[in-house]
Amino acid sequence: EDGIRDPLWSRGLGDVYKRQALNQGNIIIRKIRMKFTVSHKEKSKFEAGLRGFFQYRDLGIDTATKGNYGANVIRAVPGKHSKGEWHLHKLNFQMVYILKGWVTFEYEGQGTFTFHEGDSVLQPPKISHREIEHSEDLELLEITSPASFDTETV
């Protein structure tokens, strides 16, 4: 086992163990009970969210994990674009996977990257970044931990 799942307790039923670092570098593993969830495209809707130039489709992961994780399909609102403001997110994990179209981000200390369909990026916690531009047909999958987090303009 990899230390994330306890075979005596989980029995493969969706129990996950969240690691939390302590001051001395030790790790505490806290059990999180997850619920089975399904999200069908036909029964889902996109809604306004963090950014006015995007719409968000919640995949139900937030509720299923009691807020420990979030997953959203995010799509561009035609005719609306980012102002390119530098910001950071106060979270533990953020991954973006491009489903359709393209987007260009700039990351402090890393450079500028254009991501196309099938590309992904892991944005470490609190990395300052900005969106420079995106295609009108952009759709991406974003996975975060926790599901809700603060965003700070820098």
Side-chain angles (χ1 to χ4, degrees), residues 5 52 67 96 107 138:
R5 194 178 293 280
V96 175
Y107 297 93
L138 175 66

Side-chain angles (χ1 to χ4, degrees), residues 6-19:
D6 183 335
L8 295 176
W9 290 98
S10 75
R11 298 181 319 240
L13 298 177
D15 293 343
V16 173
Y17 297 80
K18 182 177 179 183
R19 299 171 186 224

Side-chain angles (χ1 to χ4, degrees), residues 45-57 77 80:
K45 62 180 179 175
F46 282 86
E47 299 178 348
L50 178 65
R51 307 243 182 279
F53 47 88
F54 287 148
Q55 293 178 324
Y56 299 76
R57 177 181 152 216
V77 175
K80 294 190 177 184

Side-chain angles (χ1 to χ4, degrees), residues 24-39:
Q24 287 81 24
N26 297 325
I27 295 175
I28 291 179
I29 300 177
R30 182 171 56 92
K31 190 174 178 179
I32 302 167
R33 175 71 78 195
M34 294 186 185
K35 294 188 318 187
F36 179 82
T37 189
V38 173
S39 176

Side-chain angles (χ1 to χ4, degrees), residues 58-77:
D58 180 0
L59 298 180
I61 306 304
D62 181 354
T63 301
T65 65
K66 297 184 181 175
N68 285 286
Y69 300 90
N72 290 280
V73 175
I74 302 172
R75 71 178 179 195
V77 175

Side-chain angles (χ1 to χ4, degrees), residues 47-54 56 87 89 94 142 149-151:
E47 299 178 348
L50 178 65
R51 307 243 182 279
F53 47 88
F54 287 148
Y56 299 76
H87 63 280
H89 305 296
Q94 182 179 22
E142 179 183 61
F149 53 87
D150 292 327
T151 296

